[in-house]
């Protein structure tokens, strides 16, 4: 027996999307992101400062190297998403594009085809300088906050171009560059631990440029109300997790033997 009840599909054209608030002017929206960052990313990384003045214990420096290896290994793996999702990848040639050109260069840089060495290999080299074996890197269990921050970023990098740019470029590279961490780490390990770590020497100059480019490019794709909503969410989630990771790193300093004379 056939059910005679008639099913009707709701007309999606009259859905909530038509009721969305209008997009903000781009400058106003970006100012709002800056305010969000100031609200969410409140913790100051004291571990970097203890490396800079040479008081962080060697065993915690070794743990930090394992943490950075985890970050580098997984974040580098997702660069291809930003390249392939770039909105102008169909430009006449690479030089005619902005988004595609930037991330293509960034991918080449991170993977060692633009002059500097592969950034993951540089982190492995740093670990070797500290006597950390490859098996220790592969078996290391990172902090939950590191896992959350990394895989939240990877989620947004796969989800859409503007969300990936917001998560990795704006809330990632740009935010990291603003802290000056790479210079602190490089000079601190050179002056107090006797190791010249290329990874931080490279990032000391590269991330500032990458961060500025990320801000410029994000303004180009933060146009519609939908884009702005998704960008803000990505930035908020990543910065919340970055802040939680900073708080967790700072707790290392409460451990016995965390500091050396």
């Amino acid at each position: 027996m056939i059910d005679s009840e008639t099913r009707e599909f709701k007309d999606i054209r009259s859905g909530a999307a038509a009721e969305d608030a209008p997009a903000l002017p781009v400058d106003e929206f970006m100012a709002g992101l800056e305010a969000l960052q100031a609200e969410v990313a409140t913790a100051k990384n004291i571990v970097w400062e203890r490396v800079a003045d040479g008081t962080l214990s060697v065993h915690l420096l070794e743990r930090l190297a394992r943490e950075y290896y985890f970050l580098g290994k997984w974040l580098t793996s997702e660069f291809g998403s930003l390249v392939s999702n770039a909105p102008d990848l169909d430009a006449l040639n690479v030089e005619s594009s902005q988004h595609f050109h930037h991330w293509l260069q960034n991918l080449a840089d991170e993977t060692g085809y633009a002059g500097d060495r592969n950034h993951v290999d540089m982190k492995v080299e740093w670990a070797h300088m500290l006597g950390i074996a490859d098996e220790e890197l592969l078996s290391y269990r990172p902090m939950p906050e590191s896992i959350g921050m990394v895989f939240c970023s990877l989620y947004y990098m796969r989800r859409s171009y503007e969300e990936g740019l917001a998560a990795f470029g704006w809330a990632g590279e740009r935010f990291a560059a603003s802290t000056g961490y790479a210079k602190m780490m490089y000079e601190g390990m050179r002056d107090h631990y006797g190791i010249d770590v290329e990874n931080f020497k490279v990032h000391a100059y590269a991330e500032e440029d990458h961060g500025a480019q990320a801000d410029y490019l994000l303004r180009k794709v933060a146009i519609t109300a939908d884009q702005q909503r998704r960008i803000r969410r990505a930035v908020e989630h990543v910065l919340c997790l970055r802040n939680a990771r900073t708080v967790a790193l700072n707790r290392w300093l409460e451990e016995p033997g965390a500091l050396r004379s």
Side-chain angles (χ1 to χ4, degrees):
M1 181 175 179
I2 299 176
D3 188 351
S4 61
E5 181 181 347
T6 301
R7 297 182 180 180
E8 295 183 2
F9 288 96
K10 182 178 178 180
D11 184 358
I12 62 168
R13 293 172 296 181
S14 60
E19 302 169 5
D20 282 350
L24 296 172
V26 173
D27 286 345
E28 183 179 342
F29 173 72
M30 296 302 293
L33 288 188
E34 294 279 5
L36 175 64
Q37 176 178 299
E39 176 189 345
V40 171
T42 56
K44 183 180 182 182
N45 193 314
I46 309 301
V47 173
W48 293 336
E49 296 182 359
R50 298 294 76 83
V51 174
D53 64 19
T55 58
L56 189 73
S57 66
V58 172
H59 82 274
L60 285 185
L61 186 62
E62 293 170 355
R63 192 192 302 180
L64 194 60
R66 296 183 181 97
E67 284 283 323
Y68 272 97
Y69 169 74
F70 170 76
L71 265 62
K73 175 183 176 182
W74 287 104
L75 289 173
T76 299
S77 70
E78 206 56 50
F79 264 86
S81 296
L82 291 166
V83 177
S84 62
N85 288 333
D88 55 0
L89 58 78
D90 59 346
L92 174 64
N93 53 35
V94 172
E95 294 291 333
S96 301
S97 65
Q98 292 183 331
H99 302 274
F100 181 63
H101 198 178
H102 172 73
W103 291 112
L104 194 63
Q105 289 183 105
N106 209 332
L107 174 63
D109 184 38
E110 289 282 335
T111 52
Y113 295 99
D116 294 324
R117 293 177 54 213
N118 181 301
H119 287 204
V120 178
D121 289 350
M122 286 193 286
K123 291 174 177 63
V124 173
E125 180 185 61
W126 175 28
H128 289 171
M129 289 177 177
L130 294 169
I132 301 170
D134 293 345
E135 180 56 36
E136 293 179 79
L137 289 177
L138 292 171
S139 62
Y140 175 67
R141 180 180 297 134
M143 297 188 302
E145 295 82 1
S146 295
I147 297 172
M149 188 270 286
V150 166
F151 286 98
C152 178
S153 299
L154 297 187
Y155 167 77
Y156 284 117
M157 290 166 79
R158 284 176 178 256
R159 185 171 157 82
S160 73
Y161 175 74
E162 53 266 28
E163 288 165 289
L165 169 56
F168 181 82
W170 202 90
E173 289 188 312
R174 177 185 172 278
F175 179 75
S178 72
T179 67
Y181 85 98
K183 186 172 185 288
M184 281 194 285
M185 292 286 289
Y186 174 70
E187 293 181 351
M189 285 189 283
R190 180 196 63 193
D191 297 343
H192 302 294
Y193 299 88
I195 52 177
D196 193 293
V197 182
E198 185 181 5
N199 177 74
F200 293 102
K201 184 177 182 180
V202 167
H203 282 84
Y205 71 82
E207 277 189 340
E208 183 175 355
D209 175 69
H210 290 174
Q213 297 289 350
D215 185 78
Y216 168 80
L217 293 175
L218 190 60
R219 291 171 181 272
K220 299 288 186 181
V221 294
I223 307 300
T224 69
D226 178 63
Q227 287 173 326
Q228 292 180 357
R229 176 180 57 81
R230 290 184 291 107
I231 287 168
R232 182 180 175 85
R233 180 177 58 197
V235 167
E236 183 172 20
H237 287 176
V238 171
L239 287 180
C240 280
L241 288 165
R242 280 188 170 272
N243 196 69
R245 181 173 182 270
T246 297
V247 172
L249 283 170
N250 288 342
R251 285 199 296 266
W252 290 7
L253 302 178
E254 301 170 6
E255 299 176 9
L259 301 178
R260 63 179 189 172
S261 326

